Amino acid sequence: MAASRRSLQQVREIITSAHEDCTPAQKLQFYDRWAQEYEEDVSVLEYNAPRLVAAVLASRCISNRESKLVLDVACGTGLVAQELLRCGFRLFHGLDGSARMLEMAETKKLYQELKQCMLGQGPLPSTSDFYDVVIIVGALSDGQVPVSVIHELLRVTKPGGLLCLTTRSNTSNLQYKAELEHELAALQSSGLCDCITIQNIEKWEKATSEQEVQGESDYISGVIYLYKKMETIS
Ligand SMILES: C[S@@+](CC[C@H](N)C(=O)[O-])C[C@H]1O[C@@H](n2cnc3c(N)ncnc32)[C@H](O)[C@@H]1O
């Protein structure tokens, strides 16, 4: 990542504007405007989620990583595929609602397929039981992608494949996090998936507002969830 030209305070102001009440379409317009500066700005926030998630996934997906087809949902500029590549994954498809973020991802030449789609509003443009790994990083949070999307994420995962999700644990996202965990528990008790690991990460990224600061720390925490889709019993 290149060094940023913006200060932490400036980045905070940009992100605060994104969290103002807006429609999903307006949120995507925000990402369109942010796409060029996104990577520089998140480096100021010390946003390490793509690297941390890639490490968790790699630790549970030991063999033949180069032949695993990964669907990177809400792929943004492609930071997740970049980190997964370092861990030996090679095959990536990406989805995102923002055309400009997808253009940035395209320049990395890592994805064999990139599609624009609004998440949480109907089916994903993907075949059922198709991907070895489905991953969504930095997009499951209040005001972004609705929790209901996880049914679609599971649909397109191969039986026996992995589903990797993240969310944040800052105060304003706690209700969303509880809904996400409730939904994951329901899927697990229906026998559709099984939890492999849940990892709490203390320093997810720097807090983007005073209200988000937790105790003495300037950072907010986050969570990585790794699930396996159950094999269907014939
Ligand atoms: C914080 S970025 C994360 C990008 C990337 N996964 C990363 O970790 O760097 C969130 C991404 O989610 C996308 N996004 C947010 N809400 C969306 C929605 N409802 N439908 C489709 N994409 C959405 C944005 O366009 C943006 O690229």
Side-chain angles (χ1 to χ4, degrees):
M1 272 184 230
S4 175
R5 281 167 279 133
R6 289 203 253 253
S7 66
L8 177 59
Q9 188 50 37
Q10 286 169 320
V11 175
R12 281 179 165 168
E13 282 160 18
I14 289 165
I15 294 176
T16 303
S17 74
H19 289 286
E20 281 161 9
D21 219 8
C22 65
T23 63
Q26 286 167 330
K27 180 58 64 80
L28 294 179
Q29 285 165 9
F30 163 81
Y31 277 108
D32 275 346
R33 290 192 299 276
W34 198 23
Q36 285 276 352
E37 314 290 335
Y38 174 81
E39 293 195 6
E40 288 183 2
D41 287 351
V42 297
S43 74
V44 173
L45 288 178
E46 298 177 27
Y47 174 68
N48 288 317
R51 182 178 55 77
L52 295 166
V53 167
V56 168
L57 194 57
S59 72
R60 305 294 165 143
C61 189
I62 309 291
S63 59
N64 304 323
R65 289 181 201 150
E66 68 289 345
S67 64
K68 305 283 187 216
L69 182 56
V70 178
L71 179 65
D72 182 7
V73 181
C75 61
T77 59
L79 289 178
V80 172
Q82 212 171 305
E83 292 297 337
L84 287 174
L85 186 76
R86 284 191 231 279
C87 297
F89 293 89
R90 293 282 176 274
L91 303 175
F92 306 108
H93 289 180
L95 297 176
D96 201 280
S98 157
R100 299 283 93 80
M101 294 293 264
L102 286 168
E103 280 171 17
M104 300 299 292
E106 179 64 46
T107 63
K108 295 208 165 102
K109 306 274 177 242
L110 295 178
Y111 295 88
Q112 288 75 47
E113 183 179 289
L114 284 168
K115 285 186 186 164
Q116 187 176 8
C117 97
M118 180 67 97
L119 300 164
Q121 295 186 3
L124 297 183
S126 311
T127 313
S128 299
D129 302 333
F130 194 66
Y131 290 99
D132 296 294
V133 177
V134 174
I135 188 162
I136 179 164
V137 180
L140 288 173
S141 62
D142 190 40
Q144 293 208 88
V145 178
V147 166
S148 60
V149 78
I150 65 174
H151 296 268
E152 273 299 293
L153 303 183
L154 201 57
R155 176 182 69 76
V156 303
T157 308
K158 268 185 192 169
L162 297 176
L163 175 59
C164 189
L165 321 161
T166 72
T167 198
R168 305 187 305 161
S169 313
N170 54 305
T171 321
S172 60
N173 199 51
L174 288 181
Q175 192 183 334
Y176 182 99
K177 179 172 175 276
E179 280 170 32
L180 178 65
E181 290 180 355
H182 177 82
E183 211 56 46
L184 288 169
L187 288 170
Q188 181 161 2
S189 41
S190 310
L192 296 173
C193 61
D194 201 16
C195 181
I196 298 178
T197 182
I198 297 179
Q199 295 201 9
N200 289 295
I201 309 291
E202 212 177 302
K203 289 187 173 180
W204 189 252
E205 63 184 3
K206 285 204 161 168
T208 55
S209 69
E210 288 307 313
Q211 294 91 308
E212 279 189 344
V213 171
Q214 294 163 331
E216 298 294 297
S217 175
D218 278 349
Y219 293 82
I220 57 170
S221 51
V223 193
I224 300 171
Y225 306 87
L226 186 63
Y227 281 75
K228 180 178 176 170
K229 179 166 169 174
M230 299 307 277
E231 305 276 354
T232 39
I233 303 152
S234 52

